[in-house]
Each structure stands twice: as C-alpha cells, then as structure tokens.
C-alpha cells in the first residue's frame, strides 16, 4: 500500500471512530507532513482521497474539515469506497449463502484475458445466491484462478471467500474495477431473487486485484435494484 493510502486510511479510521467530529478541522498540511514524515504532495493526495470518499471538505484559505453526515451516510460512503465482500458488508446481520454451482473449468478467452491467464489454466466456476435476513439479494457469478487462490471448498463458499483469502492465504486485497448497468433478469434469476412482474436488476461487473497487481477474481453479480443503491462522490 502506498504512503498516501496508509495516511488516508488512518485518518478515515479516526473519523469513523469519532476522534474527529463533524465540523472539526484536520491538521494543516505542514503539520501532517511533520507528523507522518512525508512530503506535502503525499499529504495532499491523502486528503484528496478523503474528499473522494465524501468524508471531508476543503475550504479555500481555511483548511480541511470533517463533513457533517448521518451515521448511515458515513457507513454507506465508506462501504462504497472500501473493497469488501457480501459477508463483510453486512457484518452483524443474518447472511446466508446458497451454492448453485461449484465447478473447476477452463476459462473462455474473454475471462482468461480479464484474469491475465490462459485458456489452458483452470478457474473456479461459482454461482451463489446471497441472502440478507432471509431475503435473496444477489446472484453472483464468479471466476477465480486456482493457481492464485488455492484450496477453496464449499464451506468457504458458504462463509466468506474474501475472508479466506486474507486470513488463511495471507493475501492482501487491493482494489476492484467495476461497471454497473441495469438489465432485465432471466426467468431463473426472477425465481432465485423472488422478483415479481417487470423489474430490472443491477448488474455489477467486477475485476478484483491483489496488492501485487494480479487480478484474482472476475465476477458478475445481478442485484435486486429495489434493495441496492450505489453511492458516488464527485469533486472538482
């Protein structure tokens, strides 16, 4: 992880834990340079990262201040920015997984390209329906290269694959590139997600990366659009 990312994560943690309250001013750039022993450019990038996350606002000539937001807004913005799986996103709530498919296959050319492997390599081919408080929320279609993520079994799929990768394999999840679009569900998905009538789903196509730059997951998830919202923060 780069220095500015570590500083941004440290400041984000302080804000989330209430060490900085809404309206509080962060230390000036020069003071943070001394505190963290880094350049002004590094501090600027760290603060800009917090602005992107929607946690602080810059006031020209005054400094950087913690935004006043409802707890739910802070949690939503944080979750939208952070890279976490379904189980971690809804930690503390009743989460259930139904495995529809779990095979080992050769990827097609498109998936192989996205995962930076060849069509001769092997990937897990996983389809899961994820439930929250006994309601189906999303159908996940996932491909992962076996040589990079070994040892996945059904009990891991029932729990948290990301947790297994970080805690058991000791690999660091870094980032995800996502594309979101709306489309109509298949008849099978309508049954799996208990969708009645004409109702679109939100498709989230994702390529996820480890901190060494290797893509470890290509997934497409179809989410109930009445149960999910995506939050973005725009800055100039």
């Amino acid at each position: 992880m780069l220095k500015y990312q570590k500083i941004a994560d440290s400041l984000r943690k302080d804000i989330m834990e209430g060490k900085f309250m809404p309206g509080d001013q962060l230390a000036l750039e020069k003071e943070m340079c001394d505190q963290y022993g880094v350049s002004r450019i590094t501090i600027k990038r760290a603060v800009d990262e917090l602005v992107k996350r929607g946690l602080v606002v810059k006031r020209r000539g005054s400094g950087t201040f913690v935004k006043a937001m409802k707890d739910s807004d802070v949690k939503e913005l944080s979750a939208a920015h952070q890279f976490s799986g379904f189980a971690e996103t809804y930690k503390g709530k009743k989460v259930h997984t139904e495995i529809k498919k779990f095979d080992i296959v050769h990827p097609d050319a498109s998936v192989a390209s996205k995962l930076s492997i060849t069509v001769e390599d092997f990937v897990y081919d996983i389809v899961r329906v994820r439930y929250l408080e006994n309601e189906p929320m999303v159908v996940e279609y996932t491909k992962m290269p076996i040589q990079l993520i070994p040892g996945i079994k059904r009990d891991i799929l029932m729990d948290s694959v990301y947790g297994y990768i970080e805690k058991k394999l000791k690999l660091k999840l870094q980032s995800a590139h996502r594309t979101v679009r709306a489309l109509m569900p298949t008849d099978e998905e309508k049954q799996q997600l208990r969708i009645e009538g004409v109702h679109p789903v939100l498709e989230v196509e994702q390529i996820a990366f480890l901190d060494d730059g290797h893509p470890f997951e290509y997934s497409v998830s179809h989410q109930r659009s009445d149960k999910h919202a995506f939050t973005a923060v725009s800055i100039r």
Side-chain angles (χ1 to χ4, degrees), residues 139-173:
V139 183
E140 298 175 343
Y141 306 89
T142 305
K143 302 286 198 305
M144 284 186 176
I146 290 179
Q147 66 265 38
L148 199 59
I149 311 296
I152 290 181
K153 295 181 172 60
R154 293 184 70 89
D155 62 328
I156 295 168
L157 296 181
M158 293 296 293
D159 188 16
S160 170
V161 175
Y162 286 5
Y164 168 76
I165 292 172
E166 290 193 302
K167 295 173 185 176
K168 183 69 174 179
L169 299 182
K170 305 299 183 183
L171 298 174
K172 178 67 175 176
L173 311 185

Side-chain angles (χ1 to χ4, degrees), residues 175-222:
S175 62
H177 297 176
R178 300 186 181 106
T179 301
V180 182
R181 58 179 70 89
L183 48 74
M184 299 306 298
T186 65
D187 289 341
E188 184 177 17
E189 288 171 341
K190 288 179 70 173
Q191 290 185 345
Q192 292 170 337
L193 295 174
R194 300 175 192 166
I195 295 174
E196 297 181 359
V198 179
H199 205 86
V201 293
L202 293 176
E203 179 181 85
V204 181
E205 183 180 19
Q206 171 174 290
I207 303 175
F209 297 84
L210 299 174
D211 64 346
D212 62 4
H214 283 99
F216 75 91
E217 176 194 58
Y218 171 68
S219 66
V220 175
S221 64
H222 288 175

Side-chain angles (χ1 to χ4, degrees), residues 103-105 117 122-124 144-151:
D103 291 331
I104 294 174
V105 301
I117 58 178
F122 287 97
V123 297
Y124 302 106
M144 284 186 176
I146 290 179
Q147 66 265 38
L148 199 59
I149 311 296

Side-chain angles (χ1 to χ4, degrees), residues 39-141:
S39 69
R40 206 157 192 160
I41 293 175
T42 299
I43 293 299
K44 184 180 184 305
R45 292 188 69 184
V47 173
D48 285 345
E49 191 70 15
L50 294 180
V51 173
K52 290 178 185 177
R53 300 183 190 197
L55 295 174
V56 303
V57 60
K58 286 184 175 181
R59 296 175 186 166
R60 185 170 297 177
S62 298
T64 303
F65 296 82
V66 178
K67 287 181 68 174
M69 294 188 292
K70 296 182 295 184
D71 289 344
S72 59
D73 291 335
V74 173
K75 182 178 180 181
E76 189 173 83
L77 284 168
S78 178
H81 182 85
Q82 286 184 312
F83 179 27
S84 57
F86 188 88
E88 182 64 25
T89 298
Y90 296 106
K91 193 172 183 178
K93 295 187 177 182
K94 185 179 179 182
V95 173
H96 172 67
T97 298
E98 188 176 321
I99 301 171
K100 295 296 186 180
K101 184 179 183 182
F102 181 35
D103 291 331
I104 294 174
V105 301
H106 292 296
D108 62 28
S110 175
V111 171
S113 175
K114 290 177 173 66
L115 291 174
S116 297
I117 58 178
T118 75
V119 294
E120 298 301 319
D121 291 315
F122 287 97
V123 297
Y124 302 106
D125 185 9
I126 303 163
V127 180
R128 296 186 293 175
V129 180
R130 313 301 297 274
Y131 290 76
L132 178 65
E133 304 294 350
N134 295 318
E135 278 205 62
M137 300 288 283
V138 56
V139 183
E140 298 175 343
Y141 306 89

